[in-house]
Amino acid sequence: MNLSLNQATVKRLTLAEAAAGCVRAGIPAIGLWRDRVQEIGIEASARLVRESGLEVTSLCRGGFMTAASAEERAAALADNRQAVLEAAGVGTDVLILVVGGLPSGSRDLPAARGAVAEGIAELAPFAAEHGVKLAVEPLHPMFCADRAVVSTLGQALDIAEAFPAEQVGVVVDTYHVWWDPELEASIARAGAGHRILSYQECDWVVPLPADMLLGRGHVGDGHIDFVRMRELVTAAGWTGGAEVEIFNQEIWDTDGARTIATVRARHEAVCAASRV
């Protein structure tokens, strides 16, 4: 399985620094974040990764479609359309969607999930016109209130399957889905429908920090069986490689070159232990 470095893993590095680190480490692909693309612009970002010889596996992120007011929903749609243009501009056909949590003051999960489906329905035709697929990312249930009312791969598929497979699919992120007792069946379902658009890796480590968002670890530092995870997505037909995305303050504070070297070493260790 090929390796991609998601920029979030080396948060302090600019796009130029992250791309150069990938080249030095022999990592052939990179997942981009919009803030770093916007720092230098779409054209400059596209040129930089192209001249580095890197594949762009995804752009993070769009989404946050659960706003309560019409004005906020319109602003979210405009931002998502801009994200689509950025994805197409930097040379990827995958825009990751973190769908959004409960609107302020709301406890109505069904309504929030309905808003997500409505937002995707508005965005998907525009994205298709620009050759971009929308990748719905389920997040662990602890993020349901503030980041993603879609918590399981099955829920993400329920939304995605209302649209053509060439328009909307899902993200299989090990950190968010490893615990799910329906995971094997859901990955098989996603594969059968050609819905897997991104496979992301990082580990579940405990204890969780005060900021739960920053609780991810390097592959091999926690509790996830990555050999099994890769076997499941490969059996489902995934050939796009593993994109390593880690949110962790200690890792962010570590020298970027050292982090990139660790990412590659851990990836190779899983490859050596598995058949994929």
Side-chain angles (χ1 to χ4, degrees):
M1 183 174 284
N2 289 327
L3 175 61
S4 174
L5 177 74
N6 186 287
Q7 273 190 285
T9 305
V10 284
K11 183 178 177 67
R12 292 180 180 239
L13 299 187
T14 65
L15 176 51
E17 292 167 340
C22 286
V23 172
R24 286 193 299 269
I27 297 174
I30 190 167
L32 302 182
W33 273 71
R34 294 180 65 196
D35 57 343
R36 288 303 196 182
V37 169
Q38 291 167 358
E39 282 181 345
I40 61 174
I42 298 172
E43 292 184 7
S45 298
R47 182 169 59 252
L48 192 158
V49 293
R50 184 173 60 250
E51 292 176 352
S52 299
L54 298 174
E55 175 191 358
V56 181
T57 47
S58 71
L59 179 69
C60 290
R61 65 185 188 245
F64 293 93
M65 298 170 166
T66 56
S69 72
E71 292 79 7
E72 290 172 326
R73 288 193 295 273
L77 179 59
D79 184 64
N80 276 295
R81 285 176 172 162
Q82 177 60 31
V84 166
L85 297 178
E86 291 168 5
V90 298
T92 181
D93 63 351
V94 177
L95 175 64
I96 307 292
L97 299 183
V98 175
V99 299
L102 286 169
S104 178
S106 172
R107 294 178 174 85
D108 193 340
L109 272 173
R113 289 171 180 147
V116 171
E118 291 170 4
I120 290 174
E122 289 187 278
L123 183 62
F126 178 82
E129 290 175 3
H130 293 276
V132 174
K133 301 174 184 178
L134 306 178
V136 181
E137 181 172 12
L139 268 58
H140 189 279
M142 66 181 175
F143 298 111
C144 188
D146 63 343
R147 290 185 178 274
V149 294
V150 175
S151 302
T152 70
L153 193 57
Q155 289 174 334
L157 286 166
D158 289 343
I159 293 173
E161 287 169 350
F163 306 93
E166 60 269 20
Q167 291 187 9
V168 184
V170 297
V171 181
V172 179
D173 185 321
T174 60
Y175 182 78
H176 293 299
V177 303
W178 72 280
W179 59 274
D180 186 353
E182 302 298 325
L183 181 61
E184 184 170 351
S186 294
I187 289 178
R189 172 184 166 191
H194 306 288
R195 299 281 178 175
I196 302 176
L197 299 182
S198 178
Y199 170 63
Q200 296 183 334
E201 290 186 338
C202 67
D203 217 338
W204 182 278
V205 293
V206 291
L208 292 175
D211 186 344
M212 298 182 297
L213 185 65
L214 306 184
R216 307 184 188 197
H218 278 293
V219 168
D221 281 352
H223 299 274
I224 298 176
D225 184 347
F226 290 96
V227 171
R228 176 175 178 269
M229 291 293 298
R230 291 189 185 185
E231 288 175 346
L232 288 175
V233 295
T234 300
W238 176 247
T239 59
E243 182 178 300
V244 174
E245 181 188 57
I246 303 173
F247 289 23
N248 183 299
Q249 190 63 55
E250 183 177 350
I251 291 172
W252 289 346
D253 291 341
T254 300
D255 175 72
R258 179 180 172 187
T259 294
I260 292 171
T262 301
V263 166
R264 174 165 179 168
R266 300 299 180 85
H267 172 78
E268 291 176 346
V270 178
C271 287
S274 67
R275 297 187 296 274
V276 296

